[in-house]
Amino acid sequence: MTAHAPRHATRDHATHDHDRTGKTVDTEAESAPPADGERMRRWRMVLGADSAESTGCTLTGQDVAMDGALNALYGGGGGKKPGGRGGGGRSAGLGASAPSVARWLGDIRTYFPSSVVQVMQRDAIDRLGLSALLLEPEMLEAVEADVHLVGTLLSLNKAMPETTKETARAVVRKVVDDLEKRLESRTRATLTGALDRSARISRPRHRDIDWDRTIRANLKNYLTIPGTDGGPDTGTVVPERLIGYGRASQSVKKDVILCIDQSGSMAASVVYASVFGAVLASMRTLDTRLVVFDTAVVDLTDQLDDPVDVLFGTQLGGGTDINRALAYCQSKITRPADTVVVLISDLYEGGIRDEMLKRVAAMKASGVQFVTLLALSDEGAPAYDHEHAAALGALGAPAFACTPDLFPDIMAAAIEKRPLPVPDKETGS
């Protein structure tokens, strides 16, 4: 039964908002148990053809085709092809046939919602070794594009034939454009506010007063005023010192260096970081540099106007030399007190560990705001080097995973030199 485990995983993704046919489920009725017949149907779809007798359920109509699409990926044995064609028994019938896989990709997009399609595609690539088929243009046109597919394409970039590269760029472009629409407006708004607040002035105009900080700074000047005619006492704060926001200007206020580990496990983080890098580079008050590394270091800053060019300039996989990457970043710092360095890495260091830590300590001592992200993705904390994470935490640079939605808040806190809003203390030490 171990071969059936992924079908459970796929079912979990589907039943949050859909049943196994892809139909929307009334969320108000989710707590009500399904009828016996529907319950047996669901178990039959989860467990596969071997459960037909024990569940007493015979599939009909579209369910047969759905079951065939699932069998082609999660089955074991031979005889059946994608789409439910062929003889009995369970199968992993995707094989290495591009037309067969293309039909299967079309089938699952017909039968399942997009979120489930993406999970099944990912499983097909991981379980059945279909990466090579993604080098064919007709395959790329059939897949459901998402961040994980982009990561796979980037890892195949060097092996990709010229006939496929244009199609691959179109797939990557679609994902990048969708991400920019989702992330750009909030990122710009959050960081613009943080940049304005970071430029404090001591003699602000009335409309520029930061009342919260002004009151906090003048609490020592609190005066009690006796009540009149037996009334209660009142109090007031005398604002001897006003704190205000600086007026926005077009001059560069902060330098940001994104230093990204491009080892294979960081694929999703590379995609998101490239999109954020392009957004940050478009803000005139930020001077943004983007550096990717494995055992070598590549500066992709001159390509930041197009995150697709950045992504195709990466080379996922290989070793890791964080120390060398940080040495390069350190050499580019000219205004330490106004610089934010963001290291995005799982911290598996192949270089000189002690030198890496010394560089981080030196940057922090000079006034650099140093942020360590174990991942920049929706997947949660990856496997990472706990010893190195603990060592960075001891230097005042806690390492933690960050979702794309939280990244603007992380950057805003770093710009304002506030404590970072660490989402999960267990992932940093």
Side-chain angles (χ1 to χ4, degrees):
M1 296 297 287
T2 55
H4 302 158
R7 296 189 66 161
H8 285 273
T10 307
R11 177 180 181 275
D12 289 341
H13 282 79
T15 54
H16 286 303
D17 300 297
H18 303 80
D19 65 14
R20 290 307 299 271
T21 65
K23 295 178 181 178
T24 301
V25 176
D26 182 354
T27 54
E28 293 183 357
E30 281 184 347
S31 58
D36 287 345
E38 176 63 12
R39 184 186 296 110
M40 289 298 101
R41 170 187 168 274
R42 293 184 183 183
W43 276 113
R44 165 62 183 81
M45 295 292 283
V46 170
L47 297 175
D50 293 343
S51 68
E53 182 176 349
S54 60
T55 59
C57 179
T58 301
L59 300 180
T60 60
Q62 181 173 273
D63 285 352
V64 175
M66 290 175 62
D67 191 55
L70 290 167
N71 282 345
L73 175 57
Y74 299 116
K80 211 167 186 178
K81 293 296 181 185
R85 301 172 181 80
R90 302 186 58 77
S91 82
L94 296 181
S97 165
S100 182
V101 176
R103 285 195 301 271
W104 178 79
L105 288 168
D107 287 346
I108 64 175
R109 293 173 73 172
T110 299
Y111 305 136
F112 301 99
S114 178
S115 59
V116 179
V117 169
Q118 292 174 7
V119 173
M120 293 179 73
Q121 286 180 172
R122 205 177 311 159
D123 286 348
I125 292 169
D126 292 343
R127 289 165 55 84
L128 302 180
L130 300 183
S131 297
L133 293 179
L134 293 178
L135 302 180
E136 302 185 24
E138 63 270 23
M139 282 289 295
L140 288 177
E141 291 170 356
V143 294
E144 186 85 16
D146 67 348
V147 169
H148 297 282
L149 178 64
V150 170
T152 300
L153 291 178
L154 296 180
S155 69
L156 297 171
N157 183 23
K158 301 305 179 184
M160 196 174 292
E162 290 299 323
T163 54
T164 305
K165 285 189 175 180
E166 185 176 347
T167 307
R169 287 185 71 90
V171 171
V172 174
R173 172 74 63 192
K174 179 180 183 301
V175 174
V176 166
D177 288 348
D178 289 345
L179 289 177
E180 283 190 304
K181 289 176 185 177
R182 167 188 160 191
L183 301 171
E184 181 174 14
S185 59
R186 181 170 178 271
T187 300
R188 294 179 70 90
T190 300
L191 297 191
T192 297
L195 287 163
D196 286 345
R197 288 189 296 273
S198 68
R200 303 290 177 187
I201 56 177
S202 59
R203 299 184 64 181
R205 289 177 287 186
H206 184 271
R207 63 180 178 179
D208 296 331
I209 296 175
D210 182 342
W211 288 108
D212 181 66
R213 287 181 174 250
T214 294
I215 291 172
R216 290 174 182 272
N218 289 280
L219 285 176
K220 62 183 179 181
N221 301 323
Y222 182 84
L223 297 178
T224 300
I225 303 174
T228 58
D229 299 328
D233 293 345
T234 58
T236 185
V237 172
V238 178
E240 289 183 352
R241 183 165 66 95
L242 298 178
I243 300 176
Y245 303 127
R247 301 302 295 166
S249 69
Q250 296 303 309
S251 62
V252 172
K253 295 178 179 177
K254 295 287 181 179
D255 298 335
V256 175
I257 301 176
L258 299 178
C259 185
I260 310 167
D261 183 344
Q262 62 176 351
S263 57
S265 60
M266 303 297 293
S269 297
V270 172
V271 176
Y272 280 115
S274 298
V275 172
F276 276 118
V279 173
L280 298 180
S282 70
M283 300 177 66
R284 294 183 180 179
T285 50
L286 290 176
D287 184 5
T288 303
R289 181 177 296 275
L290 189 143
V291 176
V292 298
F293 68 92
D294 41 36
T295 53
V297 180
V298 180
D299 192 327
L300 297 176
T301 303
D302 61 351
Q303 300 178 37
L304 271 176
D305 58 333
D306 188 344
V308 176
D309 286 342
V310 170
L311 289 171
F312 276 94
T314 63
Q315 183 175 343
L316 294 176
T320 307
D321 193 337
I322 303 172
N323 177 55
R324 174 177 290 186
L326 291 181
Y328 177 82
C329 294
Q330 192 176 21
S331 72
K332 298 300 179 181
I333 296 173
T334 58
R335 304 188 304 154
D338 292 313
T339 298
V340 178
V341 174
V342 182
L343 171 65
I344 304 174
S345 172
D346 55 18
L347 300 180
Y348 287 110
E349 171 65 317
I352 306 173
R353 174 187 184 274
D354 290 342
E355 287 296 317
M356 174 191 76
L357 296 175
K358 286 179 181 178
R359 291 191 190 281
V360 175
M363 281 188 272
K364 286 189 63 64
S366 69
V368 171
Q369 295 298 108
F370 194 93
V371 179
T372 310
L373 301 181
L374 301 170
L376 177 56
S377 72
D378 290 308
E379 303 303 311
Y384 64 97
D385 190 307
H386 290 257
E387 183 179 350
H388 289 166
L392 288 171
L395 295 175
F400 55 93
C402 172
T403 65
D405 289 335
L406 182 62
F407 185 75
D409 297 322
I410 298 291
M411 290 301 300
I415 287 171
E416 295 183 71
K417 300 185 178 181
R418 294 186 282 109
L420 301 179
V422 180
D424 182 358
K425 292 182 179 178
E426 291 184 2
T427 63
S429 300

